[in-house]
Amino acid sequence: MQALGLAGMAAAYRQLAEQDNAADLSRDEWLGLMLDREAAMPADRRLTNRLAAAKLRFVDACIEDVDFASRRGLDRRNTLQLAQGAWLKAHENFIITGLTGLVA
């Protein structure tokens, strides 16, 4: 698989072969899992490259880590609703105004 340029399938095969319950899977399930991994690899690689090019200060930042207890006036419900991205799908604009915060 490596020689054919199917690195995702090869990695999935190795991972499946190491699992104890691999014998419970049919050949079709093995093939499906390997094909899924191969198909996902280009998108994963693009995302990794874009994140590296963005040179983000906090690479592992996520919405779950937002501290709503601090006195910044953030509304938990509103912030989490915005994080779901419905405004993107509706082609709406989103503007953030105000002072920037400090990370301690």
Side-chain angles (χ1 to χ4, degrees):
M1 286 183 255
Q2 290 284 60
L4 294 173
L6 302 172
M9 286 184 75
Y13 178 84
R14 284 191 300 274
Q15 187 179 29
L16 284 169
E18 292 172 359
Q19 292 181 359
D20 295 333
N21 60 349
D24 297 340
L25 300 174
S26 69
R27 288 183 303 223
D28 292 336
E29 290 171 325
W30 272 65
L31 182 60
L33 290 169
M34 292 188 319
L35 289 172
D36 284 345
R37 176 75 64 88
E38 184 63 35
M41 279 199 62
D44 291 345
R45 202 170 19 254
R46 277 193 304 273
L47 178 61
T48 301
N49 290 341
R50 288 178 179 163
L51 288 172
K55 297 180 183 170
L56 299 173
R57 184 172 175 189
F58 302 104
V59 179
D60 295 330
C62 64
I63 195 70
E64 291 82 12
D65 293 339
V66 173
D67 181 15
F68 292 102
S70 66
R71 300 185 321 170
R72 290 183 282 179
L74 288 177
D75 178 26
R76 176 187 293 270
R77 188 178 328 142
N78 192 22
T79 303
L80 296 176
Q81 183 180 6
L82 289 170
Q84 290 177 353
W87 59 277
L88 286 168
K89 295 173 187 156
H91 301 285
E92 296 176 346
N93 295 321
F94 179 59
I95 299 173
I96 300 174
T97 62
L99 300 173
T100 57
L102 296 174
V103 177

